[in-house]
Amino acid sequence: MKYSDLRICILFGTAVMSAAITGCSSPCRTVDVDADLKFCHTHVRLALTDLVSGDSSDYSMIPRNIAPGDSLWTLRPATAEEWCSGFWPGVLWLDYESSRDEEVGFQARRYTEALEHILDKPVFDHDLGFLMFCSYGNAYRITREPHYRDVILRTADSLATLFNPSVGTMLSWPRNVGLFGGHNTIMDNMINLETLFWAADNGGDRLLRDIAVKHAETTMNNHFRDDGTCYHVAVYDPATGAFRRGCTHQGYSDTSTWARGQAWAVYGYTVVYRATHDKRFLDFACKVTDAYLDRLPEDYIPYWDFDDPCIPDAPRDVSAACVVASALTELIGYCDSEHALRYASGLEKMLVSLSSDAYRPAGRCRSVLLHSTGHYPAGSEIDYSIIYADYYYMEALTRFAKIKDQPVFDTVGNMAAR
Ligand code: GLY
């Protein structure tokens, strides 16, 4: 056992003992999740006043980003080519879940249903899972209306057509096979496995589960370095399945660790463990999470790439922090007490930072968060508000509200008070 691990064990044991002796059961003391969710609700309502107005509302355009210094969402068409189309409906569902504001619920339905046309055509790329599960997945989770479930089942069948059995993964970008010189799978694709697992368990083909498990295994075996960090892109021979190379598209270099790619890995393997209860995937989720946490700066909000030589002057990526925060709300419940303590402590630090003035907009800016980085090498969305940061932040808060009274957060609070 390493010294740092031993120290955590001793602290953990002491804190649990002291909590037991004092009978202390106070919940998490550093995150005011109700206030944070209210802040989100205020900004969602503000954005809706720009976007919808009675019968003339246009649901074919969806919020994507806000440039530094601006306050209004830039809109993009709600199409399969616009990978972020599902996040705004998802934001509305998450806000409705906590606020129960019927106007928000009404608009969540309208924006969600505006995406159904995407399934009329063959799958464009792997982002179909992001698009339809963040929107329809939340719609079904919250309303239980069968139509929403049917759309997710159709989504899963369409996504599965990207699976190449010779490789054992889904092809992420059919349009980029030439560019990368083979079957390309990006780490982001891990997020789409949730759609396949969900469909297999809710009336869809059981084969969808096999595809998701195979994708997770192949990715685990090829897409990571020994230290638990990942490449953004893995390129395979489409006929033999041989792994050709790991490289980047949105990161600093082929050998660097792009923060959001690592965040997708944390979230993805947490979901795979939830769906399979296979200990290999839990151990791996912890390994990739530890690799992420080990590289964070003091405020727990990552630089856009952990290996950018401009650090500490490089831009941050708040969206990666939000993805990981949401994943940790779940992973804490699966892992051993030592990991749970580390992840609970990290989660609190992330949520505290995200709700601070350093990352929150002042005034009437429509987004909930600032300082995300979309595609640095392309010079796109650097230091912007981006809709998926708001989505995963609200998901993290909504989930955190349900677990914040667990003893592990009490232990973290006791340790911090020392
Ligand atoms: N899935 C694209 C991204 O993370 O930017």
Side-chain angles (χ1 to χ4, degrees):
M1 183 182 275
K2 294 195 306 260
Y3 170 72
S4 57
D5 296 340
L6 185 64
R7 205 171 141 261
I8 285 175
C9 279
I10 291 166
L11 283 172
F12 182 65
T14 312
V16 167
M17 252 170 20
S18 88
I21 290 164
T22 61
C24 170
S25 63
S26 62
C28 167
R29 283 166 278 197
T30 51
V31 182
D32 188 345
V33 68
D34 294 336
D36 292 344
L37 284 167
K38 275 194 189 113
F39 179 85
C40 297
H41 180 55
T42 303
H43 283 243
V44 165
R45 285 297 313 221
L46 203 52
L48 278 174
T49 59
D50 308 327
L51 299 170
V52 293
S53 56
D55 292 343
S56 62
S57 302
D58 178 5
Y59 295 101
S60 69
M61 299 296 285
I62 303 234
R64 165 72 189 243
N65 62 42
I66 301 177
D70 288 350
S71 59
L72 303 185
W73 285 111
T74 301
L75 308 183
R76 297 264 179 96
T79 62
E81 291 77 13
E82 170 48 49
W83 81 277
C84 295
S85 296
F87 294 119
W88 174 244
V91 161
L92 294 172
W93 282 117
L94 290 166
D95 182 49
Y96 174 66
E97 186 177 7
S98 63
S99 70
R100 292 291 155 184
D101 179 331
E102 292 302 334
E103 171 63 12
V104 174
F106 175 82
Q107 299 301 344
R109 284 176 186 277
R110 296 287 85 78
Y111 276 105
T112 297
E113 289 157 14
L115 299 181
E116 193 168 337
H117 71 93
I118 289 172
L119 291 177
D120 293 343
K121 290 191 201 153
V123 63
F124 174 68
D125 69 14
H126 78 109
D127 286 325
L128 185 65
F130 278 100
L131 275 158
M132 304 308 267
F133 206 72
C134 296
S135 52
Y136 280 89
N138 280 302
Y140 183 72
R141 186 176 61 80
I142 291 168
T143 68
R144 299 282 154 187
E145 288 176 23
H147 177 66
Y148 292 142
R149 186 197 60 195
D150 294 346
V151 171
I152 306 168
L153 295 181
R154 287 171 59 207
T155 298
D157 288 342
S158 184
L159 258 184
T161 63
L162 292 170
F163 184 70
N164 177 334
S166 303
V167 175
T169 69
M170 286 184 276
L171 174 64
S172 296
W173 290 322
R175 62 189 175 284
N176 283 345
V177 168
L179 179 71
F180 287 106
H183 173 103
N184 58 78
T185 297
I186 63 172
M187 189 48 63
D188 327 26
N189 208 329
M190 285 298 300
I191 304 303
N192 300 313
L193 304 188
E194 188 169 10
T195 306
L196 303 185
F197 282 125
W198 189 95
D201 290 344
N202 287 275
D205 194 325
R206 299 299 292 173
L207 266 180
L208 296 166
R209 162 175 288 275
D210 299 341
I211 289 174
V213 171
K214 188 70 187 162
H215 183 110
E217 282 173 346
T218 307
T219 298
M220 185 165 71
N221 292 336
N222 295 295
H223 218 126
F224 290 84
R225 308 177 185 102
D226 289 345
D227 64 2
T229 63
C230 66
Y231 304 108
H232 182 200
V233 187
V235 183
Y236 299 92
D237 183 313
T240 66
F243 174 70
R244 285 183 173 155
R245 67 193 171 101
C247 56
T248 200
H249 184 63
Q250 281 165 255
Y252 176 76
S253 75
D254 291 349
T255 54
S256 73
T257 301
W258 175 49
R260 198 163 58 256
Q262 194 70 24
W264 295 137
V266 171
Y267 195 112
Y269 280 96
T270 300
V271 168
V272 174
Y273 177 70
R274 179 212 302 161
T276 61
H277 302 291
D278 182 335
K279 178 85 164 44
R280 284 178 310 149
F281 293 126
L282 177 59
D283 291 344
F284 200 66
C286 292
K287 180 173 177 172
V288 302
T289 301
D290 290 340
Y292 175 91
L293 294 176
D294 287 346
R295 286 162 176 75
L296 288 177
E298 205 168 329
D299 70 357
Y300 275 58
I301 308 298
Y303 293 96
W304 75 281
D305 188 297
F306 289 115
D307 301 300
D308 183 339
C310 292
I311 290 171
D313 297 321
R316 304 292 183 118
D317 182 13
V318 156
S319 75
C322 298
V323 170
V324 171
S326 186
L328 290 183
T329 61
E330 183 172 359
L331 188 55
I332 284 165
Y334 301 146
C335 55
D336 59 70
S337 57
E338 198 177 318
H339 280 100
L341 188 57
R342 183 179 195 208
Y343 299 163
S345 166
L347 171 60
E348 277 200 34
K349 286 178 188 151
M350 290 169 202
L351 293 178
V352 167
S353 285
L354 290 169
S355 65
S356 72
D357 290 346
Y359 297 103
R360 232 178 213 188
R364 293 175 67 77
C365 179
R366 273 42 171 178
S367 71
V368 173
L369 293 166
L370 304 167
H371 305 315
S372 288
T373 296
H375 192 333
Y376 188 93
S380 169
E381 297 179 314
I382 298 170
D383 202 29
Y384 273 50
S385 296
I386 309 183
I387 190 66
Y388 46 85
D390 286 10
Y391 174 83
Y392 285 102
Y393 178 58
M394 291 173 67
E395 186 180 77
L397 290 174
T398 307
R399 292 170 163 190
F400 181 71
K402 294 173 188 158
I403 63 165
K404 67 182 170 54
D405 293 331
Q406 288 182 6
V408 69
F409 293 105
D410 212 30
T411 308
V412 169
N414 286 334
M415 284 169 63
R418 276 161 193 276

